[in-house]
Amino acid sequence: MKRTAIGSCLLLSLAACGSDNTNATTTTTAPTVTAPVTGAYDSALAFDKTKYTTINVTIDGVKTPVRWYKEVCYVGKPIAMAASQTSLTGAATTITNTACGYQSMNIFVPESVASNQDTAIYFAVNNGGWFASYIKASVTDGATFDSSASNVGAALKAGYVYIDVATRGRGLVAADGSYAGKAPAAIVDAKAAVRYLRLNDSAMPGNANHIVVNGTSGGGGLSSALGASGNSTDYLSYLKDIGAAGVTADGSSIIKDDVLAINAYCPITDLGNADLAYEWVYNILGTRQTVGSYPNPTGSAELMAKFVGYQAGLGLKNADGMALTATTMLVAIKAEVIRSAEIYLASGGTIPNLGENISYTAGGFGAPTTTRTYVNDWIAIDNATKKVTSLDMEKYLKFVATQATLKNTPAFDQTGLSITASSGESNMFGTDKQVYSNFTEYSWDHNDVAGDGIGYADTGYSWTQFSALSTSPQLKQVKLINPMAYIGTGATTAPYWYVRHGTRDRDTAFTVSINLSRALAADAKVQDLNYRLAWNQPHAGNYDVPEAMAWIAATLKAATAKGL
Ligand code: DHB
């Protein structure tokens, strides 16, 4: 059901609204008429229903016309960007839409639902690597989709409005040379896009109260943070800065930015603690040492030791009611891997016996895929009962770390340490004048790059001292992109979640998605949590299109039945 963003009473002064005006002829002064309460940029953000081109795609052999609303800028004050940007791979790219190319949406409406205001909105975020995601078009004229393999084709076939949402993110350089994508920019932009859809709900096809967010990896992290933090006032000042819909001139909000459902894959999230978790998982059973990927043993020891207190502090519980601590975590991971294997077996999949080859595609997110094999020395199956009879965690983690090389130590907050930065998110933090900043205690205190303005040696402050300064943005940045900081709070956390994390994913610790799932399970606002480690999947997403789409369809039905 459509709802108007603001009640008609607000168009008049409160005194006039609903008052008995029968004495109007005897009053000497005219009733006060005040300006309607609107967001400062709302009139500039009105959706133009006529501004589309029709493209044709073929889905499962059926020609399907689609209306394409191209590069719709969803903010009133977009940040002008430099024409030359660096992509995730490190290659330079030249962008054409410098005015709003990182704060726009490509909106694709199947012609069959052009007048349907109840259909769902499939909101896809594309910030791989937590990098800025320039506006892209997943639907192009003449494209062919197989709806059993393509989430884009399946969403269009289901009659959803499909939207590619661009956002700022790390690495982004503004026209004035500042770094415009520092945290929480990606979340703020995604919220601004949701607000645009709510503002224009009655003019647009689709139901802005039925937004389903889809994202993988950095996008899974973004989806989770967006889903967790609905309507939180923490983001309002940032939303005001970019002229988001429904933010008034005085900075208050008259539009909501919560969403209905999250479909997240391998979320790279809880970045403030991701280094601790990574070292704990890959050292607790000696995996780094076993596979010879052990670049910083003292760092590993220091980080994994901190994991214990962090994990206990989350106060989470397993499904059986047992506290989820560092003591019970290996058992919890093992139970999830076994559950994943048994669901796979029950669906008709086969798992090789001990001593036989497990084949897998190496590569993962965005990387070329090649098929490789590994002699199964870690999981035993009874194929008659389709049950796992034993699982050796030490050998399992060795398998994971063999089929994909482990990240460095630390895994995420890497820059500024003499250890080679092979990936890492440090450039998402700090001020917009800093290329990067460390954002965790370990990396700040071990920063050994002289002259980068970061770390103890350059600032004279330890992390504890520095992060406590009111001028230090890092802790706030870490919080604002972390779903764990919002689940179970007063935020309007999305009621429906589908989260997958591959059993072979070495990009972030398994504890990250397990903790996310347990926090969601404990939140009374969450109506349905469909969480699983995905059998034999690497760091990847959208590999389970029929299952995910069936869940989305069931979710929409359930939400409608509940009046959501
Ligand atoms: C992604 C992968 C990573 O290893 C990471 O640290 C952040 C993001 C990604 O694939 O999006």
Side-chain angles (χ1 to χ4, degrees):
M1 278 298 122
K2 293 270 166 179
R3 281 181 226 153
T4 50
I6 43 176
S8 55
C9 279
L10 288 172
L11 296 173
L12 299 172
S13 74
L14 284 179
C17 181
S19 70
D20 181 345
N21 219 11
T22 49
N23 288 338
T25 48
T26 59
T27 45
T28 50
T29 51
T32 318
V33 177
T34 55
V37 178
T38 64
Y41 288 86
D42 287 2
S43 52
L45 290 171
F47 178 71
D48 183 350
K49 204 174 176 169
T50 65
K51 218 171 153 190
Y52 65 88
T53 49
T54 298
I55 57 178
N56 286 292
V57 299
T58 304
I59 307 172
D60 301 339
V62 178
K63 187 179 155 191
T64 309
V66 174
R67 293 185 183 186
W68 176 20
Y69 293 88
K70 189 178 175 187
E71 300 190 14
V72 176
C73 183
Y74 56 71
V75 292
K77 283 164 69 183
I79 299 167
M81 299 300 170
S84 179
Q85 300 288 344
T86 309
S87 68
L88 175 60
T89 59
T93 54
T94 302
I95 59 156
T96 49
N97 185 349
T98 53
C100 193
Y102 288 92
Q103 294 172 305
S104 288
M105 302 181 273
N106 272 320
I107 303 171
F108 300 99
V109 183
E111 191 59 48
S112 59
V113 294
S115 307
N116 182 337
Q117 297 212 298
D118 280 328
T119 194
I121 297 176
Y122 190 96
F123 183 106
V125 294
N126 301 304
N127 59 317
W130 270 110
F131 257 70
S133 64
Y134 184 65
I135 185 68
K136 77 165 199 177
S138 296
V139 187
T140 51
D141 194 30
T144 298
F145 296 105
D146 167 0
S147 74
S148 69
S150 159
N151 62 316
V152 182
L156 294 173
K157 185 173 177 178
Y160 306 149
V161 173
Y162 182 95
I163 305 187
D164 279 310
V165 183
T167 62
R168 290 171 295 158
R170 70 190 179 100
L172 187 61
V173 180
D176 67 5
S178 64
Y179 298 103
K182 297 291 181 188
I187 316 293
V188 172
D189 285 350
K191 284 176 177 285
V194 169
R195 286 165 166 272
Y196 180 99
L197 298 172
R198 277 239 164 73
L199 173 71
N200 291 294
D201 200 16
S202 54
M204 293 182 74
N207 180 350
N209 290 322
H210 281 185
I211 293 175
V212 180
V213 185
N214 170 267
T216 297
S217 188
L222 170 50
S223 305
S224 305
L226 177 64
S229 66
N231 304 329
S232 166
T233 53
D234 288 359
Y235 302 84
L236 272 181
S237 64
Y238 303 91
L239 288 163
K240 179 168 183 270
D241 286 347
I242 57 172
V247 181
T248 62
D250 68 4
S252 50
S253 177
I254 55 164
I255 287 184
K256 300 192 297 175
D257 53 36
D258 60 306
V259 294
L260 183 76
I262 304 302
N263 173 204
Y265 297 88
C266 51
I268 297 286
T269 192
D270 199 2
L271 282 170
N273 304 291
D275 286 330
L276 318 183
Y278 201 83
E279 293 315 308
W280 187 84
V281 164
Y282 291 112
N283 288 290
I284 190 71
L285 297 175
T287 312
R288 276 199 180 278
Q289 197 158 14
T290 306
V291 299
S293 185
Y294 202 27
N296 180 2
T298 35
S300 289
E302 197 174 318
L303 288 160
M304 74 182 290
K306 280 183 208 273
F307 176 77
V308 178
Y310 153 71
Q311 183 64 39
L314 291 174
L316 298 173
K317 287 194 167 45
N318 275 319
D320 61 8
M322 181 102 83
L324 182 56
T325 63
T327 310
T328 56
M329 184 56 91
L330 275 180
V331 175
I333 299 174
K334 182 172 174 175
E336 286 296 346
V337 180
I338 291 175
R339 191 163 71 89
S340 171
E342 291 183 346
I343 290 173
Y344 176 72
L345 289 169
S347 74
T350 53
I351 295 176
N353 289 314
L354 284 172
E356 293 178 356
N357 280 343
I358 293 184
S359 29
Y360 62 89
T361 48
F365 187 68
T369 51
T370 46
T371 302
R372 295 206 201 130
T373 57
Y374 185 96
V375 177
N376 177 15
D377 62 353
W378 60 273
I379 188 165
I381 305 297
D382 178 347
N383 276 305
T385 58
K386 300 191 185 303
K387 293 288 178 211
V388 173
T389 53
S390 72
L391 192 159
D392 181 325
M393 280 300 283
E394 190 175 330
K395 290 181 176 153
Y396 163 62
L397 291 173
K398 179 184 167 207
F399 162 61
V400 175
T402 302
Q403 53 87 48
T405 312
L406 291 177
K407 290 183 173 185
N408 252 325
T409 305
F412 296 89
D413 191 3
Q414 291 187 346
T415 319
L417 283 75
S418 49
I419 189 156
T420 314
S422 54
S423 62
E425 277 73 11
S426 320
N427 64 342
M428 194 150 64
F429 299 90
T431 71
D432 68 358
K433 304 293 182 291
Q434 291 177 299
V435 182
Y436 69 89
S437 169
N438 296 119
F439 56 96
T440 61
E441 181 175 30
Y442 175 87
S443 295
W444 180 275
D445 288 347
H446 290 81
N447 179 305
D448 54 9
V449 172
D452 67 355
I454 296 150
Y456 179 73
D458 278 26
T459 62
Y461 288 105
S462 70
W463 173 254
T464 308
Q465 293 166 327
F466 176 80
S467 59
L469 300 177
S470 62
T471 48
S472 301
Q474 288 83 350
L475 283 184
K476 200 168 167 196
Q477 292 176 315
V478 165
K479 177 185 175 191
L480 289 165
I481 63 167
N482 182 11
M484 300 295 283
Y486 291 93
I487 298 165
T489 70
T492 315
T493 297
Y496 298 95
W497 292 74
Y498 179 105
V499 181
R500 291 290 183 271
H501 189 179
T503 55
R504 291 194 285 112
D505 190 330
R506 68 90 224 202
D507 279 54
T508 196
F510 298 114
T511 61
V512 171
S513 68
I514 289 178
N515 282 338
L516 176 67
S517 76
R518 296 318 303 162
L520 289 167
D523 186 333
K525 291 189 285 296
V526 176
Q527 307 272 341
D528 182 40
L529 168 66
N530 186 325
Y531 168 70
R532 194 155 86 231
L533 292 180
W535 179 252
N536 207 17
Q537 288 293 342
H539 188 63
N542 297 320
Y543 36 67
D544 53 357
V545 173
E547 186 182 5
M549 286 294 157
W551 178 83
I552 291 171
T555 291
L556 294 168
K557 220 171 146 186
T560 303
K562 283 182 182 293
L564 294 175

